Amino acid sequence: MRLIPIIGLEIHLRLKTQSKMFCACPNVDDAAPINTSICHVCTGQPGALPAVNQEAVRLGVRAGLALNCRIPSEAHFDRKNYFYPDLPKGYQISQFDHPICIDGEVWIEVPGQEKPRDTIRIGITRAHLEEDAAKNIHDGASNSTLVDFNRAGAPLLEIVTEPDFRSPLEAKTFLQELQAIMRTAGVSLADMEKGYMRCDANVSLLEIGEDNMPLQAGYNPKIEIKNLNSFRSVERALAYEIERQEGLYKKGETPQGATRGWDENQGQTFEQRLKETFADYRYFPEPDLQPLALEKIAQEERGRLPELPAASRKRLHDEWGFSADDARVLVGNGWLDFTDAVMGELGGWLESSDRSDKSAGDLLAERKMKLAKLASGWLTSKLAGLLVQKNMALAETKISPENFAEFLHLIETGKINSANAQKLLAIMVETGKDPSHIMEENHLGQMSDPAALTKIVSDLLAQNPDQVKEIAGGKVALIKWFVGVVMKSTEGRANPESAEQEIKRQLGM
Ligand code: ZN
Ligand code: MN
């Protein structure tokens, strides 16, 4: 018997609007003082009437377009009834049978996977608008529960996927891509740790035969794991749940219950209340709100949709030859605009310097590739590493794309060696100054005077006759030692390769 996991996801995204879903209260985060962004609508006072936030509708439609969904011409709101202290009206305004987005798809590349599951299609069943609930705060000291209504009525987009994932890694990879898409499209901050993106994952196991075909019709009952709030917990909770269900099937049992929670500290899922069925929620159309007309909004939003992460990665690869990994890091870090600006500078400079002869086309392509390699190395490892050390975001530094391009130019033309370039970069991050100036002020530039190098080497050889003899006797490794001394005495300004050549020349090698 072979069991494979069938996984689907439901994601709640907090939309990046000024105000809440159905009232004018500011859409604040958890840092706001308790119960300071509330009104009669979002606290569910009798007679209070909701009004749709048009910006939330716009962002929902934009999200749907970014997920390749169909936007119907009309959608409407429904009441989803349930009783809980964090839900002051006794119902949540949501969308049941006419959501704003249907039938989308996202293609993701799953790192380290073999064909055919290295590039997979994830179907998007639907996405709908709804309001968030308030937040219960359990106060142990007074043994009571307090309610913060700041979150009540915050605008949410709930995205439901098809059960297209076959491993926890696939689910995590999709969520990371979804986060990148939603941030790029300006729909949501999509921060999982802050609760701007919350995930429920459902999983069941399917028995398959030797031919990889299911041995049964339909799926086994799925178990839903609620409220996962980091990429890591999604991956861990699914892995745990798959193993737990496998264990049950092997004992001849079947998984019971429908909803489970995730205990991050214990690393275990645990049984929760029975999930309500659709009938329990008694959905019915929200009588206080008009249906939404979406055609015009969809048309406008289609024109506003920016380049999405997958297209950006492809463009970095196609235009400049960035590797797939480098492109993923740059786009994933939110460094696309900076990279584009840097490469634009370098490109302009390349074209103006390389116009002369017929082979210019090939030469240009070759130099472009070299520059991209140089740029991606200095961006993804050196600059990124420096920022991690300093615990800074790129936007917080004073580095401009123009200065960074000039910095790469200094390296490419051999005006500075790589060790000193690192020092220069650190100063650039701090001060934002022009790299050529920093180089001169701090004497970081490469020695360009051959006569000076000749003199340094001849002095050095004269001062160390024993080592010279040892080299003559075959201990050639000592040449590197001499190179080290040259670098030290020039404070790293000599070019190590030129130094080695000069040492060999003077030794007659
Ligand atoms: Zn309000
Ligand atoms: Mn929901």
Side-chain angles (χ1 to χ4, degrees):
M1 168 163 95
R2 210 156 73 83
L3 294 163
I4 57 162
I6 307 292
I7 300 166
L9 299 177
E10 280 181 27
I11 301 105
H12 284 87
L13 273 179
R14 168 92 73 104
L15 297 172
K16 209 168 90 180
T17 57
Q18 293 293 312
S19 53
K20 292 188 182 182
M21 189 67 228
F22 300 113
C23 62
C25 292
N27 180 15
V28 293
D29 63 22
D30 283 352
I34 286 173
N35 286 325
T36 51
S37 184
I38 59 174
C39 72
H40 55 290
V41 176
C42 55
T43 56
Q45 303 303 312
L49 287 174
V52 175
N53 179 343
Q54 290 302 322
E55 185 60 16
V57 177
R58 220 164 246 296
L59 293 183
V61 167
R62 193 187 303 167
L65 293 171
L67 300 173
N68 301 299
C69 286
R70 192 161 63 76
I71 309 297
S73 57
E74 210 177 89
H76 70 237
F77 289 101
D78 299 276
R79 290 188 180 180
K80 179 179 180 180
N81 300 278
Y82 63 93
F83 185 75
Y84 207 66
D86 63 10
L87 194 70
K89 297 192 295 292
Y91 60 85
Q92 176 194 32
I93 305 180
S94 181
Q95 296 185 309
F96 182 47
D97 50 359
H98 288 88
I100 55 166
C101 315
I102 10 183
D103 255 348
E105 62 172 21
V106 176
W107 285 84
I108 55 168
E109 279 167 36
V110 190
Q113 298 305 292
E114 284 172 15
K115 277 184 193 324
R117 295 210 71 82
D118 56 338
T119 304
I120 52 174
R121 176 192 181 276
I122 304 304
I124 305 293
T125 316
R126 57 181 278 158
H128 65 257
L129 289 170
E130 61 186 28
E131 56 179 337
D132 207 345
K135 201 171 169 185
N136 287 342
I137 303 164
H138 303 288
D139 181 27
S142 65
N143 193 25
S144 56
T145 296
L146 309 167
V147 188
D148 178 5
F149 289 96
N150 281 349
R151 203 179 68 182
L156 298 179
L157 184 74
E158 178 177 332
I159 299 166
V160 182
T161 78
E162 293 290 302
D164 287 341
F165 306 96
R166 295 293 170 269
S167 71
L169 175 67
E170 291 180 5
K172 184 182 85 168
T173 306
F174 169 81
L175 285 173
Q176 288 171 330
E177 184 72 7
L178 185 69
Q179 181 183 63
I181 292 170
M182 292 307 156
R183 285 179 174 171
T184 305
V187 167
S188 171
L189 297 172
D191 199 314
M192 287 197 84
E193 283 72 15
K194 287 187 181 150
Y196 295 149
M197 180 160 130
R198 311 195 289 263
C199 178
D200 302 337
N202 58 72
V203 55
S204 66
L205 298 183
L206 181 70
E207 200 178 325
I208 57 167
E210 292 299 320
D211 54 357
N212 283 332
M213 295 304 279
L215 294 178
Q216 59 187 87
Y219 295 130
N220 285 319
K222 63 187 179 187
I223 304 275
E224 188 169 43
I225 317 166
K226 304 290 279 184
N227 279 325
L228 298 165
N229 56 12
S230 72
F231 295 124
R232 194 175 123 84
S233 31
V234 170
E235 202 177 14
R236 285 179 75 207
L238 280 170
Y240 176 87
E241 187 55 26
I242 291 165
E243 214 180 299
R244 188 185 74 88
Q245 293 184 24
E246 271 171 0
L248 289 172
Y249 283 114
K250 276 179 191 151
K251 281 192 281 179
E253 298 170 24
T254 48
Q256 299 295 316
T259 309
R260 296 179 76 83
W262 168 247
D263 185 327
E264 182 71 39
N265 297 323
Q266 299 275 323
Q268 288 178 358
T269 63
F270 58 88
E271 189 157 355
Q272 277 188 334
R273 66 177 164 84
L274 278 177
K275 195 180 158 68
E276 288 90 346
T277 63
F278 285 132
D280 296 329
Y281 286 130
R282 292 168 292 123
Y283 277 100
F284 64 86
E286 166 60 61
D288 291 338
L289 292 170
Q290 298 267 352
L292 297 170
L294 299 175
E295 253 163 50
K296 188 159 167 274
I297 297 176
Q299 201 182 0
E300 284 165 3
E301 287 302 319
R302 199 165 269 127
R304 281 188 197 170
L305 209 60
E307 181 181 76
L308 296 173
S312 305
R313 290 192 297 260
K314 186 174 181 313
R315 185 169 57 74
L316 283 183
H317 175 78
D318 292 351
E319 252 176 50
W320 290 97
F322 280 97
S323 74
D325 282 342
D326 285 346
R328 188 176 326 119
V329 171
L330 290 170
V331 174
N333 282 354
W335 288 18
L336 178 69
D337 289 347
F338 187 82
T339 306
D340 271 340
V342 168
M343 298 318 282
E345 284 286 319
L346 290 174
W349 160 71
L350 257 187
E351 266 160 43
S352 63
S353 71
D354 245 346
R355 219 166 261 164
S356 46
D357 62 292
K358 282 180 205 144
S359 61
D362 291 346
L363 213 66
L364 199 66
E366 207 174 291
R367 288 188 69 190
K368 252 174 123 171
M369 291 275 284
K370 268 194 190 150
L371 269 177
K373 217 168 173 191
L374 189 71
S376 69
W378 281 93
L379 282 167
T380 57
S381 82
K382 306 278 173 41
L383 181 58
L386 206 59
L387 295 185
V388 168
Q389 251 178 43
K390 292 181 185 288
N391 195 17
M392 274 174 108
L394 181 61
E396 292 171 307
T397 71
K398 293 178 174 153
I399 292 189
S400 70
E402 295 76 18
N403 281 347
F404 195 80
E406 189 183 330
F407 167 74
L408 293 175
H409 188 180
L410 292 176
I411 302 170
E412 203 231 357
T413 50
K415 297 216 170 61
I416 189 168
N417 64 37
S418 143
N420 279 349
Q422 293 233 45
K423 292 183 198 159
L424 197 156
L425 187 62
I427 302 174
M428 277 175 78
V429 167
E430 292 292 338
T431 66
K433 279 192 193 162
D434 175 283
S436 304
H437 286 163
I438 300 174
M439 191 173 83
E440 270 163 43
E441 273 171 33
N442 297 276
H443 309 289
L444 295 171
Q446 197 121 265
M447 278 173 51
S448 49
D449 180 5
L453 183 64
T454 307
K455 173 87 170 51
I456 290 166
V457 170
S458 62
D459 287 353
L460 191 64
L461 295 178
Q463 286 156 16
N464 297 282
D466 295 348
Q467 281 82 352
V468 171
K469 248 183 240 161
E470 282 185 59
I471 293 175
K475 207 171 167 189
V476 284
L478 275 175
I479 293 174
K480 293 283 181 210
W481 177 80
F482 273 116
V483 173
V485 180
V486 171
M487 296 308 291
K488 213 168 168 188
S489 68
T490 58
E491 290 176 312
R493 299 175 66 216
N495 179 323
E497 279 152 37
S498 318
E500 184 167 343
Q501 277 170 17
E502 183 58 24
I503 292 161
K504 284 183 175 165
R505 192 186 67 79
Q506 293 195 25
L507 289 172
M509 298 173 78

